[in-house]
Amino acid sequence: MFTIGPIGFTAPWLLLGLIALPILWILLRAVPPAPIKRRFPGVALLLGLTDDETQTDKTPWWLMLLRMLAVALVIIGFAGPVLNPKTEVTGKGPLLIVADGTWADARDWSARRDRIAGLLEEASRAGRVVSVTMLTDLPAGEAQFLSADVWQTRLGGLTPKPWAPDEVAIAEWVDGLGDGGFETFWMSDGLAREGREELLTALEDKGAVTVMQSPRPVLGLKPVQIKDGALQITAVRSAAAEAATVTVTAIGLDPAGVERELARVEASFEASADTAEVALSLPPELRNRISRFTIQGVHSAGAVTLADDGLRRREVALIAPHDTQEGLQLLSPLHYLKQALEPTADLIKDGLEDVLPANPDVIILADVAKLTEDQKAGLVEWVNKGGLLVRFAGIRIAASDLSRREEDVLMPVRLRAGGRTVGGAMSWGEPKALQPFLENSPFYGLQIPGDVTVTSQVLAQPDPNLAGRVIAALADGTPLVTRKEMGLGQVVLFHVTANAEWSSLPLSGLFVQMLERLAISTRQTTPSAEDLEGTTWAPVRVLDAFGQLADAGAMAGVKGEDLAVGVVTATMRPGLYESDEQRIAVNAVGAETTLETATWPARIAVEGLNVARETLLKGTFLAAALVLLMLDILASLWLSGRLFGPRSGVAAVLALGLLAFGDYAQAQQVDDEFAINATAEVVLAHVLTGDKQVDDIAQAGLLGLSDVLFQRTSIEPANPIGVNIETDELSFFPLLYWPITANQKIPSKEAYAKLNRYLRTGGMILFDTRDGDIAGYGSQTPEGRKLQQLALGLDIPPLEPLPLDHVLTRSFYLLQEFPGRFVGRDVWVEAAPPDAEKVEGMPFRNLNDGVTPVVIGGNDWAAAWAVDNVGNYLFRVGRGYTGERQREIAFRFGVNLMMHVLTGNYKSDQVHVPALLERLGQ
């Protein structure tokens, strides 16, 4: 194909006609011919007379240019111009198409699949055999080189996986490629990983290799950490490009049990940075509800990080001396701690011997000075494994020799003998206020009330390490709270009591905030292989490559040692794993994962994924030529004086024709656009009622059903469309959802004819009166009466309540009820034939192969399906788990509807099995 820039020509030899344009110019200059001058004496009698009609002796240059352009457009149009013509890939012999097929491919999987489809189409025209391989799902045995037409039928089943390719499996697959040569197209996910060089070398030994890789950076989200009371969110990208911002959303259950967005925050990548960090502070009650974090607009498993028990409600053990007078509530060392922690933590109130086996997250010792050797050893082991030990001072610690001569292992600092009293009746000075918290303190940013003062404290011995362990101090610089790290855990000491005897801190809101910061700032660590040795973890919910959560079903459990490693494989997918009521999240992007862009040698051709769509321009050029010719006629009439006046009718007709052509072209363009949008993919449609609120709910409902169909079935619907039954073509849509409103207009005769033709040719209309909460089936509501009026002009067959053996009850899911937002209304479908009988040994009747043209109900299915643009449900269905189960059944009913209308009664074909077996003599 001959090309000039982005335009190619299917018949370029016709462009030679442009050479004749100069000759045409000369001919047009000679028309009309120049007049011959003759002397005639009688001309003197005509002097002074004027002629109403004049004609120029030469054609004006601008008119000739107009005609030249029209002719040029005709020549170019018949030369077959094509915008962005496809470049044929020349090649002979077998063709191998390799795709990484990881979660990094999911973001633009449609573009990758289109490129594969284009390669298969070209291979089909060239008669080449093809093998398509996913490195994450390698076939057993040798590569299968089959006809390109065979692979085109299998293309819809190719989906990426949420794990990376296995190097060992790839090496074995390469060994089985055989000795023959082939050309390779490698669809790279854009990430660098071990083993690429070896695979590239092996493929180059077989023939030429071309790589297709998106230039966009791959985005990922690391597991969320808790640091100083806030959620630390870290987004990563594969290429350090220009500055960019991503939105991270926290998703979880609201109080009604409905999953929705709970919070969002923006993370900004600086220029040339591959990491963006942001802190998100949330109340504990809200944080406990979060189930996952996602990067908005990025549909891949790497852009999702799941929340496990690391963000759950903490278990805190409170321990006080046995001789404490618990009857004096306000004097109890645990009273204020209970008041502060009960709203956000599960409190354990047992002895230390009973608490340690329970493995709480935090243990608080209130003025406990003496511990047995066994208690001490148990606490040391527990802290080293990641526990947080918080201690409060008191008269017992002040009077003991704890951590005097040398630092006790369970104390952060050495203590002076006795204590310090300020502002009392027997002391000099005033009560001491608190010093503002420093930036390296977990309490940094908390506001200190002016009424918080300290009258007594235990003092720390000066030490070279003391300054690094003080996280809160009084105005005179003496430590108020000290901390040290110990193994994977921490030990914290409040140098005052946990009650109000030594300070007013427990009486303030600051006390609650400080405890909250400490209780949630324990280092979050993944359990080691030794900790999980001998355990088995069952998957509860798993992620697919597109970042969608689904029930794990009957997937096998994984060993604790493998779970501790955290490497995602085909046998351990990203998701939530459970054992003994504990949950651990395995994410596609781990805490130590780095994303690097794959680089290729200079000898390898690298192409992008996006291919400009091929557009035929022949019609455009010919239409433009026709417009210019019409303008030429109008210009000629104007020059001859016939455009206006008594003989201007021809010009008027031409002008009207030109306007009509423009309107037709515009209408044709609109109709074509509507047809393309409706037929490019499966599209669900709803009838526009004229009520904006009802139409918006219908649109949102079909959007939610389309998402569920995409996730659970092989149907991949596009965005739903609202149709006007008076003007729009209906045959493009397999299903029409028609919400009934009391005030909508009765369709015209033309619209009824269109609707009846739609029903006769296999379409289905779901009528929803949306009144299931206030009426039984019938005309007791305005919507029911309106439905009766609408149905008068429709060719609706006899109806019956949906029987339990109807194909709608089993076309995809097994259903016995069909709720929407409401429950209890009958659902009506086309009545079964009178002679339909059950076949012996079968649970349902021998029905025909037709599809019920109408389904009528009033359960408001669209409201149950409705979601917003980020997937949040718009309407509550029922209450709690029961309501969510009702919504799930409503979605399943929608899936069954689509399967029924697209596949007919194929599930009823099983009734023919006995007859087939009898004919076969079995």
Side-chain angles (χ1 to χ4, degrees):
M1 179 181 291
F2 175 71
T3 60
I4 300 177
I7 299 179
F9 297 90
T10 58
W13 56 272
L14 289 177
L15 296 177
L16 297 175
L18 297 175
I19 302 176
L21 288 180
I23 302 175
L24 181 62
W25 178 279
I26 298 173
L27 292 176
L28 289 176
R29 291 291 294 175
V31 178
I36 301 175
K37 294 182 180 182
R38 300 289 187 184
R39 293 181 178 272
F40 181 62
V43 174
L45 299 175
L46 303 178
L47 294 177
L49 298 179
T50 59
D51 191 356
D52 293 335
E53 296 183 4
T54 59
Q55 184 174 0
T56 181
D57 61 343
K58 293 183 180 180
T59 304
W61 67 268
W62 53 268
L63 184 58
M64 286 195 298
L65 180 61
L66 188 68
R67 294 171 179 174
M68 297 273 287
L69 288 176
V71 175
L73 289 176
V74 170
I75 294 173
I76 295 175
F78 282 108
V82 180
L83 180 64
N84 300 317
K86 291 183 179 179
T87 303
E88 297 290 338
V89 178
T90 58
K92 298 181 180 180
L95 173 65
L96 174 64
I97 302 175
V98 177
D100 285 338
T102 69
W103 60 263
D105 285 335
R107 182 179 183 182
D108 45 17
W109 183 246
S110 297
R112 296 175 186 276
R113 193 162 54 185
D114 290 345
R115 287 305 304 266
I116 295 177
L119 292 173
L120 291 176
E121 183 179 350
E122 294 169 1
S124 177
R125 289 197 294 264
R128 306 174 69 182
V129 292
V130 183
S131 178
V132 180
T133 300
M134 303 273 287
L135 294 183
T136 52
D137 189 16
L138 293 170
E142 296 184 359
Q144 294 182 332
F145 285 92
L146 306 174
S147 167
D149 296 335
V150 174
W151 283 110
Q152 285 176 339
T153 62
R154 301 181 182 180
L155 187 58
L158 295 179
T159 57
K161 309 300 180 184
W163 57 82
D166 184 1
E167 293 182 46
V168 177
I170 291 177
E172 295 176 355
W173 173 73
V174 169
D175 293 339
L177 289 177
D179 299 329
F182 49 78
E183 184 182 4
T184 302
F185 280 87
W186 189 343
M187 309 291 293
S188 170
D189 63 1
L191 294 180
R193 60 175 58 92
E194 297 294 332
R196 277 197 185 275
E197 293 78 6
E198 292 78 5
L199 177 58
L200 179 61
T201 301
L203 294 177
E204 283 189 292
D205 291 341
K206 303 295 183 180
V209 177
T210 301
V211 174
M212 297 180 178
Q213 179 172 300
S214 174
R216 295 195 305 173
V218 178
L219 295 174
L221 201 60
K222 289 189 174 183
V224 175
Q225 303 290 331
I226 303 176
K227 183 177 181 181
D228 293 339
L231 300 173
Q232 192 70 26
I233 300 173
T234 304
V236 293
R237 59 181 178 178
S238 59
E242 60 185 14
T245 300
V246 296
T247 300
V248 180
T249 60
I251 299 175
L253 300 179
D254 65 9
V258 179
E259 188 175 73
R260 63 176 62 251
E261 178 184 317
L262 300 180
R264 66 169 54 197
V265 66
E266 290 187 348
S268 297
F269 290 95
E270 296 182 358
S272 303
D274 56 6
T275 301
E277 295 184 353
V278 64
L280 177 62
S281 297
L282 294 175
E285 296 87 347
L286 189 60
R287 186 183 67 243
N288 290 337
R289 295 183 179 275
I290 296 175
S291 60
R292 66 185 184 275
F293 298 85
T294 66
I295 299 179
Q296 189 175 20
V298 181
H299 301 290
S300 72
V304 177
T305 182
L306 302 174
D308 54 14
D309 289 347
L311 299 182
R312 64 175 174 81
R313 187 179 176 93
R314 294 302 186 92
E315 290 183 349
V316 180
L318 302 179
I319 300 175
H322 294 293
D323 57 349
T324 301
Q325 296 180 350
E326 293 292 337
L328 301 176
Q329 186 178 36
L330 296 179
L331 297 180
S332 168
L334 300 181
H335 171 71
Y336 296 99
L337 289 171
K338 293 176 183 177
Q339 295 295 318
L341 295 176
E342 276 181 348
T344 59
D346 295 327
L347 303 183
I348 302 175
K349 306 168 187 177
D350 285 317
L352 190 57
E353 295 82 1
D354 299 323
V355 164
L356 286 174
N359 193 29
D361 301 294
V362 182
I363 294 179
I364 298 180
L365 302 181
D367 197 19
V368 176
K370 295 183 179 180
L371 298 171
T372 66
E373 291 299 324
D374 291 339
Q375 290 174 336
K376 196 170 190 177
L379 272 176
V380 170
E381 181 181 1
W382 173 80
V383 173
N384 282 326
K385 290 184 176 180
L388 172 63
L389 176 62
V390 179
R391 307 190 69 167
F392 284 83
I395 57 175
R396 295 170 183 79
I397 290 182
S400 70
D401 58 352
L402 177 65
S403 199
R404 293 287 191 268
R405 296 182 180 178
E406 60 182 9
E407 181 181 311
D408 188 87
V409 66
L410 294 177
M411 294 288 283
V413 293
R414 291 174 56 208
L415 300 178
R416 292 184 181 180
R420 176 195 186 196
T421 302
V422 292
M426 302 298 293
S427 65
W428 298 97
E430 298 293 332
K432 300 298 182 182
L434 273 64
Q435 185 183 93
F437 302 118
L438 302 179
E439 290 186 3
N440 60 352
S441 169
F443 310 133
Y444 177 72
L446 296 180
Q447 298 296 321
I448 301 175
D451 57 351
V452 175
T453 57
V454 174
T455 58
S456 298
Q457 67 179 131
V458 292
L459 295 174
Q461 287 279 11
D463 187 271
N465 298 325
L466 179 61
R469 296 182 179 182
V470 176
I471 57 177
L474 299 182
D476 60 1
T478 55
L480 175 65
V481 184
T482 53
R483 177 179 66 176
K484 77 172 181 180
E485 294 186 357
M486 181 175 166
L488 299 177
Q490 302 176 27
V491 177
V492 177
L493 172 64
F494 280 75
H495 291 241
V496 294
T497 59
N499 57 21
E501 289 183 352
W502 285 16
S503 73
S504 60
L505 179 62
L507 302 176
S508 68
L510 177 63
F511 185 67
V512 177
Q513 295 174 323
M514 293 175 70
L515 289 178
E516 181 184 83
R517 288 285 183 94
L518 285 174
I520 64 174
S521 62
T522 308
R523 179 181 300 171
Q524 303 297 302
T525 57
T526 302
S528 63
E530 292 77 10
D531 296 332
L532 301 182
E533 185 177 1
T535 62
T536 301
W537 295 73
V540 180
R541 305 196 74 189
V542 293
L543 283 171
D544 63 13
F546 299 96
Q548 299 294 328
L549 268 176
D551 292 334
M555 288 180 57
V558 300
K559 295 181 180 180
E561 299 89 326
D562 297 334
L563 192 70
V565 176
V567 177
V568 177
T569 62
T571 56
M572 191 177 75
R573 303 184 180 185
L576 286 174
Y577 292 80
E578 187 176 57
S579 177
D580 297 331
E581 298 184 356
Q582 297 182 8
R583 288 192 174 188
I584 293 179
V586 175
N587 293 294
V589 176
E592 304 299 327
T593 301
T594 56
L595 303 181
E596 297 182 5
T597 302
T599 57
W600 303 91
R603 65 181 183 276
I604 301 298
V606 180
E607 301 178 1
L609 295 178
N610 296 326
V611 177
R613 179 175 295 181
E614 187 177 82
T615 304
L616 300 178
L617 299 179
K618 179 178 181 180
T620 303
F621 277 91
L622 293 180
L626 182 60
V627 172
L628 292 182
L629 290 176
M630 289 183 177
L631 292 176
D632 173 73
I633 295 174
L634 292 176
S636 299
L637 291 173
W638 175 68
L639 290 175
S640 63
R642 298 179 182 178
L643 185 60
F644 304 102
R647 290 193 290 176
S648 60
V650 176
V653 172
L654 289 173
L656 290 176
L658 186 60
L659 291 175
F661 174 80
D663 292 340
Y664 171 78
Q666 183 177 4
Q668 187 67 29
Q669 182 179 2
V670 173
D671 291 343
D672 291 346
E673 183 178 354
F674 178 82
I676 291 173
N677 293 335
T679 57
E681 299 178 78
V682 175
V683 177
L684 308 186
H686 62 94
V687 175
L688 296 175
T689 64
D691 186 321
K692 186 178 186 305
Q693 182 178 4
V694 173
D695 293 340
D696 289 345
I697 293 174
Q699 178 77 12
L702 295 185
L703 177 62
L705 179 59
S706 298
D707 290 342
V708 170
L709 288 168
F710 183 87
Q711 296 167 11
R712 305 184 186 182
T713 72
S714 59
I715 305 173
E716 298 182 358
N719 288 333
I721 295 177
V723 297
N724 185 332
I725 58 176
E726 299 288 346
T727 59
D728 293 333
E729 177 59 45
L730 305 180
S731 60
F732 303 137
F733 309 102
L735 174 69
L736 281 181
Y737 175 76
W738 192 334
I740 305 300
T741 62
N743 299 322
Q744 64 187 102
K745 297 180 180 180
I746 301 298
S748 64
K749 292 182 180 180
E750 293 77 11
Y752 270 124
K754 190 186 304 182
L755 287 168
N756 288 326
R757 184 170 61 252
Y758 172 76
L759 294 176
R760 287 193 299 269
T761 54
M764 176 190 289
I765 300 178
L766 173 60
F767 291 99
D768 190 352
T769 56
R770 305 174 298 109
D771 55 1
D773 58 332
I774 58 175
Y777 186 79
S779 59
Q780 291 83 359
T781 64
E783 290 79 8
R785 291 190 291 271
K786 177 60 70 173
L787 176 59
Q788 287 186 339
Q789 297 175 16
L790 293 172
L792 290 177
L794 295 175
D795 295 336
I796 296 180
L799 303 177
E800 66 176 353
L802 198 152
L804 294 180
D805 63 346
H806 196 278
V807 181
L808 270 176
T809 64
R810 62 185 183 276
S811 58
F812 194 83
Y813 291 104
L814 296 178
L815 299 178
Q816 296 180 345
E817 54 184 4
F818 315 96
R821 193 181 184 192
F822 310 125
V823 185
R825 285 290 303 272
D826 290 333
V827 177
W828 291 70
V829 297
E830 181 182 5
D835 57 348
E837 298 179 355
K838 286 188 177 181
V839 177
E840 182 179 358
M842 293 297 166
F844 39 77
R845 291 172 292 173
N846 185 2
L847 303 176
N848 58 23
D849 290 333
V851 176
T852 176
V854 296
V855 177
I856 301 177
N859 290 332
D860 199 2
W861 289 288
W865 301 333
V867 297
D868 60 18
N869 292 330
V870 295
N872 296 323
Y873 297 125
L874 297 182
F875 299 96
R876 177 182 296 180
V877 176
R879 292 183 177 273
Y881 175 78
T882 303
E884 286 309 297
R885 180 62 181 171
Q886 179 179 330
R887 190 194 303 276
E888 172 62 23
I889 298 300
F891 274 121
R892 294 185 179 186
F893 172 64
V895 173
N896 278 20
L897 269 176
M898 283 301 299
M899 285 298 180
H900 179 46
V901 73
L902 292 177
T903 62
N905 287 349
Y906 82 101
K907 283 293 180 85
S908 291
D909 293 345
Q910 301 173 54
V911 300
H912 303 301
V913 172
L916 293 174
L917 294 178
E918 183 179 357
R919 290 184 180 182
L920 292 173
Q922 300 181 11

